[in-house]
Each structure stands twice: as structure tokens, then as C-alpha cells.
Amino acid sequence: MKRYKNLYEKICDMDNLCLAYMKARRYKANKFYVVEFDAQLDENLAQLQSELVAETWQPQNYKVFTTFDPKRRLIHAPRFRDRIVQHALAGVIEPIYSPLFIHDSYASLKNKGSHAGVDRLTKFLRRHAQSVYVLKCDVRKYFDSIDHDILISILRKKIADERVIGICQKILTCGGITKGVTLGNYTSQWFANIYLNELDYFLKHGLKCREYIRYMDDIVVLSESKEWLHEIKKQVDAFLKTLKLELHSKKQEIFPECVGIDFLGYVTWRSHRQLRRRNIRRFVRRLKGFERSSSILEEHINGSVMSWKGYAQHADSFGLNQKLMTEHPLLERMLLGGAR
């Protein structure tokens, strides 16, 4: 297995830092911390490079806050200069790991995503002339449960530059965190994908699962044999224990495809696809909030409606949208391009 040396210099390279800076500021150009950094851009990037070269860079404490959409999540937001370092690190390790991920890993990867994952599920279903069974499960508290020592040992399989490993360790332990990867760090999605890539190889190459899809810690396996899926579930559970992980006790089930597969925001059958009911209810509540208020910015409403449109167009939702536009004229005006 090839291991990569002399990666640290690539992270510190000013061209890489400039590219990382542009990625870190994307969609955030008007934020006060970006404006502040931009005021002395050359000096700030040079200082960051100097700290990296001298190996004295230390991430600053996170800004910690809680979000509640769609569910309660604790976010650890890194400082802007530390976000640049994370993008610089990712820019170097991405070309190493991207070719290693299996085709059917869909989270946080180029040309993948939830829509591609659901399309792949439909393709798998339509391969079969007869009904199939579905194993659907996810990992309990995945991001919070990632073991740092195991993750570092996995990274060392490909990365032979200990200075790069050192940056990874600094990011992982920032704020005194001893377990898990934090929501808010750009690198967390990479670390999380690399960690469960071990499971991907076990299932695809070890157990020969042909119809297996993973989106971060959400897992789906198809088979015409219900008994085989029960055995696969046991094997997955046992393998996850070697990573100090466990399946969510209430989110592991084996069922026939005819009931519909609730996966990645959609309920999928071989013949059609519907939107998840709780997502519909959430959007309707948002619409009602827009209708009750006269102070919400037009661009905020438009962003929400366009997000819904992008989501709904990947399902059989024509009738639903017609019904919603009849009940909520605001939605009809926004979708048809009219003013509020």
C-alpha cells in the first residue's frame, strides 16, 4: 500500500493557502471576521504560513452554539484563520483519499450527494425482477463516537508525514475534545468518511455486498434473501465494534421494499419516489410563518422556496406542489416568479 511523504510542504505552500482562503470565505464575504481578515490579507496569510512552517500553529477555541433545524445539534465553529488551515489540509489529502472511496459512498464528495444516492437506490431496486428485502441502519451518535486513536491509525495507513498527522491531531483535540469530530469543522466530514471507509471495504470486498449504499453513517443494503441480510447486520455490528462504534438500537431494521424505503429525505419504491412527510410538514410550517409575518426579507423567503423546489423536483411531487400552491398563494407567487 502506497504511503505519502512530504505532504506538509504542500499544505504550507502559499498557492494552496490562497486557494484555501478563497474556499473558506465562499458565501461569507460579508461576515465581519472575513472583512477583518481581508483588511490585511497578505500579512495575515503570510503570518499563517509562517506559523505552519514553524509548526507553531495552534487552532483557537471554537465558537460554540446550538441549532435546532431540523433537530438539535451542538456546533463548534472554528475561527476563520483555522478554517483556512482546514481547507489547506483537505486540499492536500483529498486527492489521496477520493480515489479510495467506493463508488457507493455519497456524502460530502464531488459529484455525489443525497440525490445521487437515492437515484442509485432506485437503480438497485429496478435490477430485480422480484421483490427484495432492505437492511437499513445507522451508527449511534456517529460524529461524537469517532475514536481519535483509531482515526489516526487509519490516516497513517496512507499518510507517512507525521507533521500532517500532527495538524490532524491539533484539529481533533482543539477545545479539549478527546473523542469524536465536531460539527462545524470542514475536516470533520473528511475524517468521518475516511473512518467508515473501513466498513465500506469490509462490506464490498469482504462480504461481497453488491447493493450497498452509505451516506455518512446511514446504510442501506438490498438482497432477495432476508436471512442473508440478518447475517450482514450481525457482521456490520461486529465490525463496528472494532471501530468502537455501534448501531443505533432504534434505527436498524430489515423489511420488504414494498413498504417504501425512507432514505436521504425521500421514500423510494422501484416505481416512484415521494417526499418525506416530516419534511413536508416542516416546509408548511415555514410557509405559514412567512404568511403571518411582514418583516421577513424577500430574499430569505425566496431562498427557502428555491430550496424546496430543488428538493421536491427529485420526487413525484407535482400533485403535492399544486395542492400547496392552492392552499398557500405565497408559494405560487414565488414559484411562478411573482412578487410578494
Side-chain angles (χ1 to χ4, degrees):
M1 179 183 292
K2 181 177 180 180
R3 298 177 74 223
Y4 292 82
K5 303 177 181 179
N6 304 316
L7 297 175
Y8 195 76
E9 290 81 3
K10 295 180 181 180
I11 294 174
C12 301
D13 180 80
M14 184 54 76
D15 287 341
N16 185 47
L17 288 176
C18 288
L19 180 59
Y21 156 76
M22 293 301 297
K23 291 180 178 178
R25 79 189 295 271
R26 189 176 298 162
Y27 311 122
K28 298 180 176 67
N30 295 324
K31 297 288 187 181
F32 75 91
Y33 50 81
V34 177
V35 173
E36 186 179 73
F37 194 92
D38 286 353
Q40 294 182 295
L41 179 59
D42 291 342
E43 294 88 340
N44 285 329
L45 286 177
Q47 176 62 32
L48 193 55
Q49 183 187 46
S50 177
E51 292 176 25
L52 288 169
V53 170
E55 298 180 50
T56 59
W57 170 79
Q58 291 289 342
Q60 299 173 324
N61 286 334
Y62 295 113
K63 178 183 177 182
V64 182
F65 58 93
T66 302
T67 63
F68 295 91
D69 187 15
K71 61 183 179 180
R72 187 180 187 276
R73 297 181 187 275
L74 186 65
I75 306 297
H76 293 71
R79 307 297 172 171
F80 182 64
R81 71 194 311 268
D82 297 334
R83 190 175 293 275
I84 294 173
V85 173
Q86 291 186 25
H87 277 277
L89 170 64
V92 170
I93 67 173
E94 178 182 349
I96 295 172
Y97 283 99
S98 287
L100 300 180
F101 294 133
I102 65 168
H103 177 80
D104 289 313
S105 175
Y106 285 91
S108 306
L109 298 173
K110 289 181 180 178
N111 303 316
K112 294 296 182 70
S114 59
H115 297 144
V118 176
D119 288 343
R120 182 68 163 171
L121 176 59
T122 299
K123 183 176 181 179
F124 282 165
L125 288 171
R126 292 176 179 174
R127 282 179 177 175
H128 297 268
Q130 64 188 65
S131 180
V132 298
Y133 290 94
V134 182
L135 165 62
K136 183 173 177 288
C137 52
D138 67 28
V139 179
R140 180 179 178 272
K141 295 183 178 179
Y142 177 50
F143 275 70
D144 293 336
S145 301
I146 290 175
D147 183 273
H148 290 182
D149 290 338
I150 293 176
L151 174 59
I152 292 300
S153 70
I154 292 171
L155 290 171
R156 282 197 171 110
K157 291 179 182 180
K158 299 301 295 181
I159 298 174
D161 192 327
E162 284 299 311
R163 295 169 298 174
V164 177
I165 296 296
I167 282 191
C168 295
Q169 289 173 321
K170 287 179 180 180
I171 293 171
L172 286 169
T173 59
C174 178
I177 293 171
T178 59
K179 184 180 181 182
V181 295
T182 59
L183 294 175
N185 273 344
Y186 178 71
T187 50
S188 289
Q189 59 193 7
W190 279 98
F191 290 153
N193 258 335
I194 291 168
Y195 203 80
L196 275 188
N197 191 51
E198 302 291 301
L199 175 66
D200 295 343
Y201 274 61
F202 173 68
L203 284 171
K204 293 292 288 186
H205 302 298
L207 301 183
K208 308 299 181 184
C209 291
R210 293 181 61 248
E211 294 174 340
Y212 159 72
I213 297 171
R214 180 175 67 81
Y215 188 96
M216 203 53 74
D217 65 312
D218 290 332
I219 295 165
V220 165
V221 186
L222 303 183
S223 175
E224 295 179 2
S225 170
K226 187 176 182 180
E227 292 72 22
W228 186 75
L229 288 181
H230 277 289
E231 179 59 30
I232 292 297
K233 185 167 79 69
K234 290 179 184 177
Q235 295 277 2
V236 169
D237 199 31
F239 187 86
L240 287 176
K241 285 181 170 58
T242 69
L243 298 175
K244 296 188 178 180
L245 301 172
E246 60 182 355
L247 290 175
H248 196 298
S249 60
K250 296 181 180 179
K251 295 182 179 180
Q252 48 176 297
E253 53 184 336
I254 296 173
F255 55 91
E257 56 146 303
C258 60
V259 303
I261 306 169
D262 188 343
F263 185 58
L264 303 183
Y266 301 90
V267 183
T268 300
W269 291 263
R270 69 175 62 209
S271 61
H272 65 289
R273 185 184 303 161
Q274 294 181 356
L275 305 180
R276 183 180 280 165
R277 288 184 179 180
R278 66 173 175 267
N279 291 351
I280 298 172
R281 290 195 295 268
R282 187 183 304 122
F283 180 64
V284 170
R285 286 197 301 271
R286 193 174 298 142
L287 276 178
K288 290 179 178 178
F290 293 155
E291 291 166 342
R292 286 193 300 266
S293 175
S294 60
S295 61
I296 300 176
L297 294 176
E298 183 86 10
E299 62 186 48
H300 179 70
I301 299 173
N302 186 62
S304 184
V305 170
M306 290 302 103
S307 177
W308 167 262
K309 181 180 179 181
Y311 165 59
Q313 69 184 3
H314 290 273
D316 300 283
S317 60
F318 178 80
L320 172 64
N321 271 329
Q322 292 297 309
K323 180 175 181 292
L324 290 178
M325 286 192 291
T326 299
E327 296 173 351
H328 303 278
L330 169 62
L331 177 63
E332 182 179 25
R333 289 196 295 271
M334 298 302 294
L335 284 178
L336 297 181
R340 185 184 181 197

